[in-house]
Amino acid sequence: TSKISINTQNYDIRTLGFNLKYNSSILSFISFSLENSSFNTPTVNTDELGLISFVATVKDGKTISGSNIHILNIIFKLNSSLSVGIYENVISVIIRDMVNSGGFKYLSNRTAQINDYRDGKNFYGDIIKRDSEVNGIISYSNQYEIVNFAALNYEYGNITTNSIITKAIMSGYNTNNIEVTNLSLCEFDNSNNNN
C-alpha cells in the first residue's frame, strides 16, 4: 500500500493532479481508497500500463492547506514471479499541478518525494522482497475444556462446542502472526481412554 500525502507549502489548494508511474513487471495495480473526507472521489485513469493519473478536488468549492495531508492509499500487488531481492526505481510520482481557489497553478510538473525503507527523501521508490519465515505454530482455545464426553444440556437441544484457533508465528520482516486455522488439522488421541 502506497500512502499519498501532500504539503501545500502554505497555499490553499482546490485541485490536485498527479501521475504515479510504476514498474509493471514488478507491481500490479489493484485499487485505491480515498482517505480524506474533504476531497471528492478522485478521477482516475489507468489506460496506460505502468501509469496512474489522478485528479482530486476539494468538496463544495472549498480549499485545504497543510504540511501533511493524507489524501488516498494506492494498493499494489507484488508480482509472484519475482525472486527475493532489492528492486530499484520501482515507483515515482509527478505532481502535474496544484491549483488554488483563484485558479492559479502554483506548482506544476514537480517530482514528488518518496519515502521508502531507506527513510530518506528520494525521487524514486525501491522495494525489497523477502522470504517470510515461520518460527513456530501455536493453537489455542478461549475455553478451558475442549473435549467433554458428557452430553451437556442435550435434553434442552443445546450442544456446547468450542473452537481451536491456530496461528503461525512469523519472524524476519513480517512479525505479525498469521492465522492458519483453515490449513490445520486437529485430532483427538483417545488411546488412553478406557470408556
Side-chain angles (χ1 to χ4, degrees):
T1 300
S2 296
K3 176 182 174 181
I4 305 295
S5 301
I6 61 170
N7 179 352
T8 67
Q9 301 176 349
N10 296 320
Y11 286 93
D12 293 327
I13 71 160
R14 177 173 289 173
T15 304
L16 166 70
F18 67 92
N19 291 341
L20 187 149
K21 296 181 179 180
Y22 64 95
N23 187 331
S24 59
S25 65
I26 297 174
L27 297 175
S28 296
F29 170 68
I30 302 299
S31 62
F32 74 94
S33 60
L34 181 65
E35 301 295 324
N36 193 312
S37 60
S38 296
F39 284 84
N40 295 305
T41 301
T43 301
V44 182
N45 186 312
T46 59
D47 290 343
E48 183 179 339
L49 185 63
L51 175 66
I52 311 171
S53 296
F54 290 86
V55 176
T57 57
V58 181
K59 289 181 177 177
D60 303 321
K62 296 180 180 178
T63 60
I64 194 170
S65 65
S67 60
N68 186 19
I69 304 172
H70 184 193
I71 299 179
L72 50 86
N73 290 336
I74 304 174
I75 301 171
F76 292 97
K77 179 181 179 182
L78 195 64
N79 294 339
S80 58
S81 60
L82 294 177
S83 57
V84 172
I86 298 176
Y87 297 87
E88 299 179 340
N89 302 337
V90 176
I91 194 169
S92 65
V93 176
I94 301 293
I95 304 297
R96 292 199 315 273
D97 45 61
M98 284 188 181
V99 180
N100 67 10
S101 59
F104 173 69
K105 184 186 296 186
Y106 65 89
L107 190 64
S108 180
N109 296 324
R110 185 75 59 87
T111 302
Q113 173 183 315
I114 304 288
N115 297 326
D116 57 17
Y117 71 94
R118 295 169 292 177
D119 292 329
K121 299 177 180 179
N122 307 289
F123 292 136
Y124 294 91
D126 293 356
I127 288 179
I128 300 178
K129 181 178 180 180
R130 293 185 171 100
D131 276 334
S132 294
E133 299 177 1
V134 179
N135 266 359
I137 297 290
I138 184 172
S139 296
Y140 64 92
S141 175
N142 60 356
Q143 301 290 333
Y144 292 111
E145 191 172 53
I146 298 174
V147 178
N148 192 317
F149 289 100
L152 300 177
N153 297 328
Y154 183 75
E155 63 272 24
Y156 300 108
N158 298 320
I159 299 176
T160 301
T161 59
N162 298 326
S163 60
I164 298 174
I165 299 170
T166 303
K167 289 189 176 182
I169 302 173
M170 309 301 292
S171 66
Y173 181 72
N174 184 5
T175 57
N176 295 323
N177 295 337
I178 300 175
E179 185 169 343
V180 292
T181 302
N182 293 336
L183 302 176
S184 61
L185 175 65
C186 180
E187 294 182 348
F188 174 65
D189 182 3
N190 65 352
S191 59
N192 296 322
N193 180 26
N194 296 322
N195 296 331

